[in-house]
Amino acid sequence: MAAIVVSIFAVVKFTEGAWLVVMLFPLLVAALIRLNREYRREVAALGALAPRLSTEPTRSRHLVLVFVDAVDLSTLRALRYARGLRPSDVRAVHFVLGQTRAERLARRWDRLHTGSVTLELIECRDRRLGRATLKLIGREIADQHSEVTVLLPRRVYPPLARRLLRDRTADHIAQQVSRIPNAVATIVPFDVRPVLARHTAIPSDRTGPDQAAAVDSDVPGPASRKRAAMAGGEPTSDPIGPVTPIDRLTGRGGIVTVVGRVHALDLTSDSGGGDVLVCDIVDDTGHVRAYFYRRHSLPGVHPEAHLRVRGRLTPATPPNSPSP
């Protein structure tokens, strides 16, 4: 039918431009037939391998590698996603392309990383990240009992800026990993637009009920003296309210002040998609969890720092709305 229509069109309108259709028609038909053949080959190959792969035994060890280029919100989101996979082990990896930058990143990681995830620095002198990735995964799956998942954090920009700002390194690494048996690469996208909007709307020097006064552990001050006094079990007076030992926190809805050491940090989100910085605080009597809404970081707040927090006491489960 298509050939008949084209033939009539070519005869009637040949001198008015139909000659171009006569030239392109065979080429387009041949190209579409070839494309269809490639699709059929792909479907046949994938279908033939499916029964054999479905019977392969499950690997006993699942290692998740989070590739780190910078310690920022996108990396923390990837770490949270990695823990949600329930792997046997989670490791953060940075390929060293410049020694000075790597040392700076390692210091920032020591201050801000959450949980027990360690940052592994791997030399990449030839700057061939794909090759370095293959060597790393090859070492991990050499025991024939391990499978590896590589998480690649990637920032997502508006469509106009995407072509200029997007780095295709993650796509290249994912393509290399996809060729390795028992290994998979997942790109974890992070949209920077909501963060930029909130950062512009909320000044950095804003104070309010979700802002805490933090004292670094290396700086002597009132927080260190209060922590020592809390060992006796008596509340200590403070300009922002009496300090209560954590084991004496009872009830709900009241405003309390606690002083302790930061045990761990995590990043989550509330029901509206806003950032929530979660801070585990311990003193000599117990453990409490503080939620800072609309914050993804706080100056001076890092693991092992001494922190003084005043807020509203709530049940053990985190609230779903950004209330104080």
Side-chain angles (χ1 to χ4, degrees), residues 291-312:
Y291 297 88
F292 299 92
Y293 290 95
R294 300 180 298 276
R295 308 289 295 190
H296 59 81
S297 64
L298 283 171
V301 178
H302 54 82
E304 303 302 323
H306 293 169
L307 190 66
R308 180 179 60 201
V309 178
R310 181 175 183 265
R312 189 179 302 279

mmCIF file of all heavy atoms in Angstrom, residues 291-312:
data_model
loop_
_atom_site.group_PDB
_atom_site.id
_atom_site.type_symbol
_atom_site.label_atom_id
_atom_site.label_comp_id
_atom_site.label_asym_id
_atom_site.label_seq_id
_atom_site.Cartn_x
_atom_site.Cartn_y
_atom_site.Cartn_z
ATOM 1 N N TYR A 291 15.865 15.896 65.309
ATOM 2 C CA TYR A 291 15.521 16.111 63.900
ATOM 3 C C TYR A 291 15.565 17.607 63.618
ATOM 4 O O TYR A 291 14.879 18.391 64.263
ATOM 5 C CB TYR A 291 14.120 15.567 63.592
ATOM 6 C CG TYR A 291 13.999 14.079 63.779
ATOM 7 C CD1 TYR A 291 13.667 13.537 65.026
ATOM 8 C CD2 TYR A 291 14.220 13.199 62.725
ATOM 9 C CE1 TYR A 291 13.561 12.178 65.198
ATOM 10 C CE2 TYR A 291 14.106 11.837 62.903
ATOM 11 C CZ TYR A 291 13.781 11.327 64.140
ATOM 12 O OH TYR A 291 13.678 9.970 64.314
ATOM 13 N N PHE A 292 16.370 17.993 62.621
ATOM 14 C CA PHE A 292 16.483 19.389 62.207
ATOM 15 C C PHE A 292 15.838 19.512 60.821
ATOM 16 O O PHE A 292 16.401 19.056 59.828
ATOM 17 C CB PHE A 292 17.958 19.829 62.143
ATOM 18 C CG PHE A 292 18.663 19.740 63.473
ATOM 19 C CD1 PHE A 292 19.357 18.594 63.827
ATOM 20 C CD2 PHE A 292 18.631 20.794 64.362
ATOM 21 C CE1 PHE A 292 20.001 18.512 65.038
ATOM 22 C CE2 PHE A 292 19.273 20.717 65.577
ATOM 23 C CZ PHE A 292 19.962 19.574 65.923
ATOM 24 N N TYR A 293 14.670 20.127 60.778
ATOM 25 C CA TYR A 293 13.923 20.237 59.530
ATOM 26 C C TYR A 293 14.478 21.354 58.651
ATOM 27 O O TYR A 293 14.982 22.367 59.136
ATOM 28 C CB TYR A 293 12.441 20.475 59.822
ATOM 29 C CG TYR A 293 11.761 19.262 60.401
ATOM 30 C CD1 TYR A 293 11.626 19.100 61.770
ATOM 31 C CD2 TYR A 293 11.271 18.263 59.567
ATOM 32 C CE1 TYR A 293 11.020 17.982 62.301
ATOM 33 C CE2 TYR A 293 10.659 17.143 60.084
ATOM 34 C CZ TYR A 293 10.533 17.004 61.460
ATOM 35 O OH TYR A 293 9.937 15.889 61.968
ATOM 36 N N ARG A 294 14.354 21.114 57.335
ATOM 37 C CA ARG A 294 14.819 22.053 56.312
ATOM 38 C C ARG A 294 16.316 22.317 56.435
ATOM 39 O O ARG A 294 16.797 23.390 56.101
ATOM 40 C CB ARG A 294 14.027 23.377 56.381
ATOM 41 C CG ARG A 294 12.533 23.202 56.175
ATOM 42 C CD ARG A 294 11.800 24.535 56.244
ATOM 43 N NE ARG A 294 11.956 25.157 57.550
ATOM 44 C CZ ARG A 294 11.202 24.862 58.605
ATOM 45 N NH1 ARG A 294 10.247 23.959 58.507
ATOM 46 N NH2 ARG A 294 11.387 25.478 59.766
ATOM 47 N N ARG A 295 17.048 21.331 56.936
ATOM 48 C CA ARG A 295 18.507 21.450 57.042
ATOM 49 C C ARG A 295 19.137 20.169 56.515
ATOM 50 O O ARG A 295 18.679 19.066 56.806
ATOM 51 C CB ARG A 295 18.950 21.661 58.496
ATOM 52 C CG ARG A 295 18.248 22.782 59.227
ATOM 53 C CD ARG A 295 18.674 24.133 58.734
ATOM 54 N NE ARG A 295 20.071 24.390 59.025
ATOM 55 C CZ ARG A 295 20.657 25.574 58.872
ATOM 56 N NH1 ARG A 295 19.948 26.586 58.410
ATOM 57 N NH2 ARG A 295 21.918 25.747 59.146
ATOM 58 N N HIS A 296 20.187 20.301 55.722
ATOM 59 C CA HIS A 296 20.966 19.128 55.332
ATOM 60 C C HIS A 296 22.348 19.128 55.973
ATOM 61 O O HIS A 296 23.106 18.166 55.823
ATOM 62 C CB HIS A 296 21.093 19.033 53.801
ATOM 63 C CG HIS A 296 21.737 20.224 53.170
ATOM 64 N ND1 HIS A 296 23.088 20.392 53.145
ATOM 65 C CD2 HIS A 296 21.196 21.308 52.554
ATOM 66 C CE1 HIS A 296 23.373 21.532 52.543
ATOM 67 N NE2 HIS A 296 22.239 22.110 52.171
ATOM 68 N N SER A 297 22.687 20.196 56.693
ATOM 69 C CA SER A 297 23.935 20.259 57.446
ATOM 70 C C SER A 297 23.837 21.413 58.425
ATOM 71 O O SER A 297 22.997 22.314 58.266
ATOM 72 C CB SER A 297 25.147 20.438 56.514
ATOM 73 O OG SER A 297 25.061 21.693 55.841
ATOM 74 N N LEU A 298 24.687 21.380 59.444
ATOM 75 C CA LEU A 298 24.770 22.454 60.431
ATOM 76 C C LEU A 298 26.240 22.733 60.713
ATOM 77 O O LEU A 298 27.028 21.790 60.899
ATOM 78 C CB LEU A 298 24.062 22.072 61.736
ATOM 79 C CG LEU A 298 22.526 22.141 61.731
ATOM 80 C CD1 LEU A 298 21.967 21.521 63.003
ATOM 81 C CD2 LEU A 298 22.050 23.576 61.597
ATOM 82 N N PRO A 299 26.667 23.970 60.759
ATOM 83 C CA PRO A 299 28.071 24.280 61.016
ATOM 84 C C PRO A 299 28.509 23.722 62.375
ATOM 85 O O PRO A 299 27.826 23.906 63.384
ATOM 86 C CB PRO A 299 28.107 25.815 61.001
ATOM 87 C CG PRO A 299 26.898 26.237 60.227
ATOM 88 C CD PRO A 299 25.861 25.201 60.502
ATOM 89 N N GLY A 300 29.630 23.037 62.384
ATOM 90 C CA GLY A 300 30.184 22.514 63.618
ATOM 91 C C GLY A 300 29.579 21.218 64.092
ATOM 92 O O GLY A 300 30.026 20.658 65.094
ATOM 93 N N VAL A 301 28.543 20.712 63.426
ATOM 94 C CA VAL A 301 27.895 19.466 63.832
ATOM 95 C C VAL A 301 28.488 18.323 63.023
ATOM 96 O O VAL A 301 28.308 18.260 61.803
ATOM 97 C CB VAL A 301 26.372 19.559 63.640
ATOM 98 C CG1 VAL A 301 25.718 18.229 64.014
ATOM 99 C CG2 VAL A 301 25.794 20.675 64.481
ATOM 100 N N HIS A 302 29.195 17.442 63.697
ATOM 101 C CA HIS A 302 29.810 16.289 63.064
ATOM 102 C C HIS A 302 30.001 15.228 64.136
ATOM 103 O O HIS A 302 29.904 15.525 65.343
ATOM 104 C CB HIS A 302 31.157 16.660 62.422
ATOM 105 C CG HIS A 302 32.114 17.320 63.362
ATOM 106 N ND1 HIS A 302 32.910 16.610 64.238
ATOM 107 C CD2 HIS A 302 32.384 18.635 63.583
ATOM 108 C CE1 HIS A 302 33.648 17.450 64.950
ATOM 109 N NE2 HIS A 302 33.344 18.683 64.574
ATOM 110 N N PRO A 303 30.213 13.965 63.762
ATOM 111 C CA PRO A 303 30.416 12.921 64.761
ATOM 112 C C PRO A 303 31.509 13.281 65.756
ATOM 113 O O PRO A 303 32.546 13.823 65.396
ATOM 114 C CB PRO A 303 30.785 11.694 63.914
ATOM 115 C CG PRO A 303 30.122 11.936 62.605
ATOM 116 C CD PRO A 303 30.207 13.421 62.386
ATOM 117 N N GLU A 304 31.225 12.995 67.044
ATOM 118 C CA GLU A 304 32.109 13.247 68.179
ATOM 119 C C GLU A 304 32.074 14.693 68.662
ATOM 120 O O GLU A 304 32.742 15.026 69.642
ATOM 121 C CB GLU A 304 33.561 12.826 67.889
ATOM 122 C CG GLU A 304 33.724 11.367 67.484
ATOM 123 C CD GLU A 304 33.179 10.426 68.540
ATOM 124 O OE1 GLU A 304 33.326 10.734 69.746
ATOM 125 O OE2 GLU A 304 32.593 9.400 68.190
ATOM 126 N N ALA A 305 31.334 15.575 68.005
ATOM 127 C CA ALA A 305 31.224 16.949 68.490
ATOM 128 C C ALA A 305 30.277 16.998 69.683
ATOM 129 O O ALA A 305 29.376 16.167 69.824
ATOM 130 C CB ALA A 305 30.730 17.872 67.384
ATOM 131 N N HIS A 306 30.479 17.976 70.575
ATOM 132 C CA HIS A 306 29.572 18.209 71.692
ATOM 133 C C HIS A 306 28.464 19.155 71.225
ATOM 134 O O HIS A 306 28.728 20.187 70.606
ATOM 135 C CB HIS A 306 30.328 18.809 72.880
ATOM 136 C CG HIS A 306 31.306 17.848 73.491
ATOM 137 N ND1 HIS A 306 32.242 18.225 74.424
ATOM 138 C CD2 HIS A 306 31.496 16.525 73.290
ATOM 139 C CE1 HIS A 306 32.971 17.180 74.773
ATOM 140 N NE2 HIS A 306 32.531 16.137 74.088
ATOM 141 N N LEU A 307 27.229 18.797 71.542
ATOM 142 C CA LEU A 307 26.085 19.526 71.016
ATOM 143 C C LEU A 307 25.099 19.829 72.140
ATOM 144 O O LEU A 307 24.855 18.988 73.010
ATOM 145 C CB LEU A 307 25.398 18.693 69.927
ATOM 146 C CG LEU A 307 24.329 19.385 69.087
ATOM 147 C CD1 LEU A 307 24.961 20.486 68.245
ATOM 148 C CD2 LEU A 307 23.621 18.381 68.194
ATOM 149 N N ARG A 308 24.555 21.025 72.110
ATOM 150 C CA ARG A 308 23.499 21.428 73.038
ATOM 151 C C ARG A 308 22.256 21.707 72.206
ATOM 152 O O ARG A 308 22.268 22.564 71.311
ATOM 153 C CB ARG A 308 23.914 22.668 73.822
ATOM 154 C CG ARG A 308 22.853 23.148 74.818
ATOM 155 C CD ARG A 308 23.349 24.366 75.566
ATOM 156 N NE ARG A 308 23.643 25.458 74.655
ATOM 157 C CZ ARG A 308 24.449 26.484 74.954
ATOM 158 N NH1 ARG A 308 25.065 26.526 76.113
ATOM 159 N NH2 ARG A 308 24.648 27.448 74.070
ATOM 160 N N VAL A 309 21.171 20.990 72.467
ATOM 161 C CA VAL A 309 19.968 21.057 71.648
ATOM 162 C C VAL A 309 18.770 21.383 72.529
ATOM 163 O O VAL A 309 18.597 20.802 73.604
ATOM 164 C CB VAL A 309 19.719 19.727 70.897
ATOM 165 C CG1 VAL A 309 18.434 19.792 70.093
ATOM 166 C CG2 VAL A 309 20.882 19.411 69.984
ATOM 167 N N ARG A 310 17.939 22.303 72.059
ATOM 168 C CA ARG A 310 16.675 22.612 72.716
ATOM 169 C C ARG A 310 15.555 22.386 71.707
ATOM 170 O O ARG A 310 15.591 22.901 70.601
ATOM 171 C CB ARG A 310 16.646 24.064 73.203
ATOM 172 C CG ARG A 310 15.357 24.470 73.923
ATOM 173 C CD ARG A 310 15.504 25.882 74.472
ATOM 174 N NE ARG A 310 14.339 26.288 75.229
ATOM 175 C CZ ARG A 310 13.312 26.981 74.732
ATOM 176 N NH1 ARG A 310 13.348 27.341 73.456
ATOM 177 N NH2 ARG A 310 12.295 27.311 75.487
ATOM 178 N N GLY A 311 14.571 21.575 72.072
ATOM 179 C CA GLY A 311 13.491 21.277 71.151
ATOM 180 C C GLY A 311 12.312 20.650 71.843
ATOM 181 O O GLY A 311 12.306 20.458 73.072
ATOM 182 N N ARG A 312 11.294 20.305 71.040
ATOM 183 C CA ARG A 312 10.076 19.720 71.583
ATOM 184 C C ARG A 312 10.192 18.201 71.611
ATOM 185 O O ARG A 312 10.590 17.586 70.611
ATOM 186 C CB ARG A 312 8.875 20.139 70.735
ATOM 187 C CG ARG A 312 7.518 19.763 71.347
ATOM 188 C CD ARG A 312 6.386 20.240 70.455
ATOM 189 N NE ARG A 312 6.449 21.677 70.253
ATOM 190 C CZ ARG A 312 5.998 22.583 71.121
ATOM 191 N NH1 ARG A 312 5.466 22.181 72.261
ATOM 192 N NH2 ARG A 312 6.079 23.867 70.856
#
